Amino acid sequence: TAAFRLEPTDDPLRFAVAGRPGFDVRFERAPDGSIARMVPPEVTGEEPAERLRVDPSLPSVDELIALRLGADDPVSPGDLGVFRMSGTFSHSSGLEGSDVLLSDGELRSREEVARSERGPEVTICNGRRAGTLSRRGRLRELSGVERDRTLLARLSVLAGDWRRFYDRLEVVTRTEREGREVLFVRAQGGEAPPCTLVVEAQSGLPVEVLDTIDLPFGAMGKRTRLEDWRQVEGVWLPFRWVGSFAEESMGVVTVQYERIETRVTPASETFELIARERR
């Protein structure tokens, strides 16, 4: 579903929906003072939503991560050295291209998506910095929400130890998806808005990320399915990423990696945020 930014009003329990005059969201307190439920704008006709109560029998975040990475001798994508994943990019409109990802430990990555002969679009992450290179090699360094969203969307985050990247993590509920039990993990890091990691209960593998993207008219819901998980030298990695949006007309984006090379030696400037102007 689409998401909207809430703005505070003079009433601490009432918020206005940005860009939507007359759309107010109210919150009601329980007798103990805690927030009990959310009341949507009247024009929507929707019923109030009760606050989610966390089931104390749910596993902890630590237990989920131990399922996937191991408890006694945990592994991580960084154990593969600098690795390169190569594959294809496709859009449901028929647009196709190549996708090459280089990952170095937990803090550095470079992804090149080529959809034409004019050169690839490049996203580089280095520590707390992130930026994009246009097809002509022009650098645009990211900041704020856009930077943190980009940093948290990396393979080394989703396939690694989430506790190193997110400021807050909480297992909030369990449900069933396609015949398997999954757990919803609420995650928030840096300036990025919270997202939900849908995690397979038996293996601890994240199979979906429920997030939002910012558009000129507001935020929109996005779902990324993580599929085709394979073990590479004891490390679980997703080889297929499928992104879809609340607005179906935006289509579906699929990245399918077909090859991985571990412990490669990249060029010295591979992960540097440097403009590389081309004529």
Side-chain angles (χ1 to χ4, degrees):
T1 58
F4 301 94
R5 186 175 71 253
L6 298 181
E7 297 179 340
T9 67
D10 294 337
D11 181 348
L13 294 179
R14 183 172 63 84
F15 291 79
V17 177
R20 303 292 297 273
F23 275 61
D24 290 348
V25 175
R26 293 187 297 107
F27 293 87
E28 297 179 351
R29 295 190 185 277
D32 63 1
S34 64
I35 298 298
R37 64 179 185 166
M38 179 188 74
V39 182
E42 291 184 8
V43 296
T44 66
E46 296 183 9
E47 295 295 322
E50 299 295 328
R51 182 179 182 180
L52 180 67
R53 301 296 177 181
V54 177
D55 182 349
S57 69
L58 293 173
S60 68
V61 170
D62 292 346
E63 290 170 329
L64 272 184
I65 293 174
L67 269 178
R68 178 168 44 89
L69 302 184
D72 299 326
D73 186 19
V75 296
S76 75
D79 294 336
L80 304 176
V82 179
F83 63 88
R84 179 188 293 114
M85 298 181 73
S86 307
T88 58
F89 161 94
S90 63
H91 188 272
S92 52
S93 65
L95 183 65
E96 296 181 343
S98 63
D99 190 302
V100 178
L101 171 68
L102 274 164
S103 181
D104 178 18
E106 298 178 334
L107 301 179
R108 305 200 304 174
S109 66
R110 177 189 181 95
E111 184 173 16
E112 300 186 4
V113 179
R115 304 168 186 166
S116 71
E117 297 178 355
R118 291 179 295 173
E121 296 174 346
V122 181
T123 301
I124 301 172
C125 298
N126 192 329
R128 287 291 302 157
R129 297 178 64 197
T132 61
L133 292 175
S134 69
R135 293 187 180 95
R136 293 184 176 274
R138 294 172 182 166
L139 174 67
R140 182 172 74 91
E141 184 154 2
L142 309 181
S143 61
V145 172
E146 189 177 15
R147 175 201 61 211
D148 289 348
R149 266 203 180 110
T150 301
L151 292 173
L152 292 171
R154 293 174 299 135
L155 181 146
S156 61
V157 174
L158 296 173
D161 188 339
W162 308 324
R163 296 166 298 190
R164 298 181 182 273
F165 307 100
Y166 289 104
D167 302 317
R168 297 178 60 188
L169 287 161
E170 182 182 21
V171 183
V172 293
T173 191
R174 63 162 51 92
T175 186
E176 190 172 293
R177 288 278 184 94
E178 299 176 355
R180 58 183 172 180
E181 182 183 342
V182 295
L183 300 160
F184 280 30
V185 180
R186 194 70 166 161
Q188 196 278 324
E191 297 183 42
C195 68
T196 300
L197 308 177
V198 182
V199 183
E200 194 174 61
Q202 187 173 5
S203 65
L205 295 176
V207 293
E208 287 184 13
V209 181
L210 307 178
D211 201 356
T212 59
I213 58 171
D214 288 325
L215 298 171
F217 54 81
M220 177 181 291
K222 177 183 179 182
R223 180 176 73 167
T224 302
R225 298 200 309 273
L226 307 174
E227 303 174 345
D228 192 12
W229 283 86
R230 308 179 194 176
Q231 259 194 324
V232 180
E233 299 179 24
V235 179
W236 284 102
L237 300 176
F239 275 65
R240 180 165 55 249
W241 302 56
V242 182
S244 57
F245 306 89
E247 176 51 63
E248 293 184 1
S249 64
M250 294 184 66
V252 177
V253 178
T254 302
V255 173
Q256 176 68 61
Y257 293 114
E258 299 157 351
R259 180 185 180 194
I260 183 170
E261 305 162 81
T262 62
R263 297 174 182 81
V264 302
T265 303
S268 59
E269 294 184 350
T270 295
F271 302 106
E272 299 299 324
L273 275 72
I274 300 174
R276 297 173 173 85
E277 294 284 349
R278 294 188 292 270
R279 291 185 178 181

